[in-house]
């Protein structure tokens, strides 16, 4: 009876199903196989998933990361519990540095295992498709590795007009006329190659960082420009479609000297978080939101939080949830459960430990998007309440046995 339905109706029904079910449906008949493999259907399914409530937060863990594997944990958007983790086999030469997540776009995760950004991978966890990207033909610059790490940024995004996925690397290249300049290298999945943009970026990325989400088709990084021997903090952007860089000014009068800060995207708006220390090892976090993209006058301060036992804001939930990291631990703070002014909140819910240093958390969905890679054998381990609480259950079991023995002794004495 389903085969008697029009193809567009079938496509609409299928677009509401999870990827695991669709992969099984491909084996039912040729007509279903053709629908599920159709790029139009895959785009429709991705668009519905991006606007739905089902999704994940993806983060790499430390376990086995320095061996020959990469371990990715997926947390539920709704419960913030770890659903399952995925172990990806990799080559021995990639075990010298931890895998880090550059970004996730339409179900495709971009991984980086090189400090200078020349060893990268694409991975679709839903289809087990894995692709090692070619190395750029262009050197980063003539600086030493320690200096390179201070002035390089990465970002991963999608151009819907050409359905092309791009990895962007911005790195400091030279100083001219008492000002800094950077080069832009772009990898395109459609050509499986790198290109260097002719136009230099006036300014440089501040620190080794990844773009925290795509907004209005652009990636964003913490940056700086030197003018007349004065350093000006600024957001550097790069449009994925036009491949043109730009600049966004920060809130007027904000003091950022000797403070850590970075831009991120939350609820479809560009934000910045500023980390300032009020107490030693217990920083305070202040957040500004740009209510109209690109308009400097629309920056407004949203909230202040802290001091916290955390060092960085690493991610956001769909509502008022915020994810913070301290070393290899990750904490959840729900602003809906915390009354203003959000002062002296030290304890948050621990989501887990043994994450890689400099935790990167990205929003992720499941999709059928192909990356023209190879299928890899992936180990998946679902997280269950029983497995996570085996020790607790064992202790309870021992206590029950002990209590039973005590009751039996009392009974026989009586």
């Amino acid at each position: 009876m389903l085969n008697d339905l029009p193809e567009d109706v079938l496509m609409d029904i299928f677009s509401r199903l999870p990827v695991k079910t669709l992969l099984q449906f491909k084996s039912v008949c040729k007509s279903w196989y053709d629908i599920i493999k159709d790029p139009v259907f895959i785009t429709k399914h991705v668009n519905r998933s991006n606007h739905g409530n089902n999704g994940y937060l993806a983060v790499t863990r430390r376990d086995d990361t320095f061996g020959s594997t990469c371990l990715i944990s997926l947390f539920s958007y709704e419960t913030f519990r770890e659903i399952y983790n995925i172990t990806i086999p990799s080559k021995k030469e990639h075990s010298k540095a931890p895998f880090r997540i550059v970004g996730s776009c339409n179900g495709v995760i971009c991984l980086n295992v090189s400090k200078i950004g020349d060893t990268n991978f694409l991975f679709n966890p839903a289809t087990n498709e894995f692709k090692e990207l070619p190395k750029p033909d262009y050197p980063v610059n003539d600086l030493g590795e320690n200096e390179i790490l201070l002035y390089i940024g990465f970002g991963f995004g999608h151009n819907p007009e050409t359905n092309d996925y791009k990895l962007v690397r911005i790195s400091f290249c030279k100083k001219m006329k008492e000002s800094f300049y950077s080069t832009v290298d772009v990898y395109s999945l459609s050509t499986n190659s790198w290109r260097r943009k002719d136009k230099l970026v006036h300014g440089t990325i501040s620190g080794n960082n990844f773009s925290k989400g795509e907004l209005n088709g652009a990636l964003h990084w913490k940056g700086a420009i030197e003018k007349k021997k004065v350093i000006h903090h600024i957001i550097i952007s790069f449009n994925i479609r036009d491949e043109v860089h730009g600049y966004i000014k920060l809130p007027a009068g904000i003091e950022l000297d000797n403070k850590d800060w970075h831009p991120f995207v939350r609820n479809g708006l560009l934000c910045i978080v500023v980390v300032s220390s009020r107490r030693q090892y217990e920083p305070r976090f202040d957040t500004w939101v740009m209510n109209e993209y690109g308009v400097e006058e629309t920056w407004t301060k949203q909230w202040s939080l802290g001091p916290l036992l955390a060092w960085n804001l690493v991610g956001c939930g769909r509502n008022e949830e915020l994810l913070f990291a301290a070393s290899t631990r990750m904490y959840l703070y729900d602003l809906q459960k915390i009354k203003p002014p959000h002062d002296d909140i030290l304890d948050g819910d621990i989501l887990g430990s043994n994450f890689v240093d400099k935790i990167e958390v990205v929003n992720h969905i499941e999709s059928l998007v192909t990356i023209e890679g190879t299928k890899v054998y992936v180990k998946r381990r679902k997280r269950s309440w029983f497995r996570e609480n085996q020790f607790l259950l064992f202790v309870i079991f021992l206590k029950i046995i002990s209590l039973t023995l005590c009751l039996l002794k009392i009974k026989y004495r009586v």
Side-chain angles (χ1 to χ4, degrees):
M1 293 177 62
L2 281 174
N3 283 331
D4 295 334
L5 295 175
E7 184 176 301
D8 60 332
V9 176
L10 267 179
M11 190 176 289
D12 185 70
I13 295 173
F14 287 175
S15 69
R16 303 170 189 271
L17 300 177
V19 171
K20 183 178 180 180
T21 303
L22 293 173
L23 292 175
Q24 295 171 338
F25 279 9
K26 287 171 64 177
S27 304
V28 172
C29 61
K30 187 177 184 304
S31 61
W32 286 19
Y33 177 88
D34 292 338
I35 290 176
I36 295 170
K37 291 285 288 185
D38 189 338
V40 175
F41 168 74
I42 293 175
T43 300
K44 184 180 182 70
H45 185 268
V46 164
N47 291 338
R48 188 177 293 278
S49 297
N50 276 325
H51 291 90
N53 292 322
N54 295 323
Y56 302 95
L57 296 167
V59 59
T60 49
R61 277 190 179 275
R62 178 177 290 279
D63 300 343
D64 296 328
T65 302
F66 287 93
S68 58
T69 58
C70 170
L71 184 61
I72 298 175
S73 291
L74 295 181
F75 289 79
S76 166
Y77 264 144
E78 301 300 318
T79 64
F80 291 94
R81 291 184 63 85
E82 188 175 8
I83 304 301
Y84 59 88
N85 53 51
I86 306 168
T87 303
I88 312 168
S90 61
K91 299 177 182 178
K92 290 184 178 180
E93 57 264 32
H94 300 145
S95 63
K96 295 180 180 179
F99 280 82
R100 297 174 63 195
I101 299 180
V102 177
S104 176
C105 188
N106 296 340
V108 178
I109 294 177
C110 181
L111 297 163
N112 170 268
V113 74
S114 166
K115 294 180 179 179
I116 61 174
D118 62 352
T119 306
N120 304 280
F121 308 88
L122 297 182
F123 175 55
N124 186 331
T127 62
N128 295 347
E129 203 174 359
F130 189 79
K131 183 182 182 69
E132 182 174 355
L133 306 187
K135 293 182 182 293
D137 296 327
Y138 316 98
V140 175
N141 51 46
D142 296 329
L143 296 177
E145 184 174 286
N146 292 333
E147 292 175 296
I148 291 172
L149 297 180
L150 299 176
Y151 309 106
I152 190 166
F154 310 92
F156 180 62
H158 175 247
N159 180 4
E161 293 187 1
T162 59
N163 196 27
D164 192 13
Y165 292 83
K166 298 179 181 180
L167 172 62
V168 180
R169 181 180 72 177
I170 298 182
S171 55
F172 170 80
C173 65
K174 65 177 76 174
K175 186 174 183 179
M176 298 186 302
K177 298 180 180 179
E178 298 183 350
S179 191
F180 298 110
Y181 289 85
S182 301
T183 56
V184 182
D185 300 315
V186 181
Y187 166 82
S188 170
L189 179 61
S190 62
T191 61
N192 193 34
S193 62
W194 288 85
R195 291 176 288 104
R196 171 157 288 184
K197 303 298 294 182
D198 294 331
K199 190 173 182 180
L200 296 177
V201 175
H202 180 201
T204 183
I205 302 297
S206 299
N208 183 328
N209 64 85
F210 301 151
S211 174
K212 302 285 185 180
E214 184 179 344
L215 180 63
N216 283 16
L219 303 168
H220 304 84
W221 296 270
K222 168 187 175 181
I225 293 179
E226 183 179 9
K227 293 181 179 180
K228 298 180 180 180
K229 297 183 179 182
V230 177
I231 300 295
H232 300 272
H233 300 283
I234 201 165
I235 296 174
I236 297 177
S237 66
F238 185 82
N239 189 286
I240 293 293
R241 183 189 62 185
D242 302 328
E243 296 189 358
V244 175
H245 68 270
Y247 309 94
I248 297 177
K249 292 183 177 181
L250 298 177
I254 188 172
E255 178 57 52
L256 295 177
D257 291 337
N258 301 319
K259 293 181 180 179
D260 187 23
W261 69 277
H262 65 257
F264 66 102
V265 176
R266 181 168 181 262
N267 296 333
L269 296 173
L270 183 63
C271 311
I272 64 167
V273 59
V274 180
V275 185
S276 57
S277 294
R278 194 175 75 182
R279 301 176 186 171
Q280 190 176 16
Y281 306 120
E282 295 175 5
R284 186 178 185 85
F285 298 84
D286 301 319
T287 299
W288 279 260
V289 177
M290 179 174 268
N291 294 295
E292 185 176 347
Y293 184 77
V295 181
E296 179 188 359
E297 292 75 19
T298 62
W299 281 111
T300 56
K301 189 172 183 178
Q302 190 176 43
W303 47 257
S304 294
L305 185 65
L308 305 180
L309 293 177
W311 299 342
N312 297 302
L313 174 66
V314 294
C316 306
R318 290 188 181 275
N319 299 307
E320 296 296 317
E321 305 92 353
L322 301 171
L323 298 171
F324 291 87
S327 185
T328 61
R329 281 192 172 187
M330 190 161 64
Y331 299 87
L332 169 68
Y333 291 84
D334 189 345
L335 294 185
Q336 290 180 333
K337 300 178 181 179
I338 303 172
K339 296 181 180 180
H342 308 318
D343 288 331
D344 299 320
I345 307 165
L346 293 178
D347 297 324
D349 297 327
I350 299 177
L351 293 187
S353 58
N354 274 338
F355 296 103
V356 298
D357 292 331
K358 296 184 178 179
I359 294 173
E360 300 291 343
V361 178
V362 297
N363 297 335
H364 177 72
I365 63 167
E366 290 189 331
S367 79
L368 294 164
V369 171
T370 180
I371 53 177
E372 300 175 2
T374 57
K375 296 284 185 177
V376 293
Y377 175 69
V378 172
K379 293 181 180 179
R380 296 175 182 270
R381 189 178 69 174
K382 283 195 173 184
R383 307 293 290 186
S384 67
W385 185 91
F386 178 79
R387 182 183 290 118
E388 291 176 354
N389 296 276
Q390 283 183 357
F391 180 75
L392 176 62
L393 291 173
F394 180 69
V395 172
I396 293 174
F397 174 74
L398 291 178
K399 288 185 176 295
I400 292 173
I401 295 296
S402 177
L403 180 61
T404 303
L405 291 174
C406 289
L407 291 175
L408 288 174
K409 288 180 179 179
I410 294 173
K411 179 180 178 181
Y412 284 112
R413 283 178 183 176
V414 172

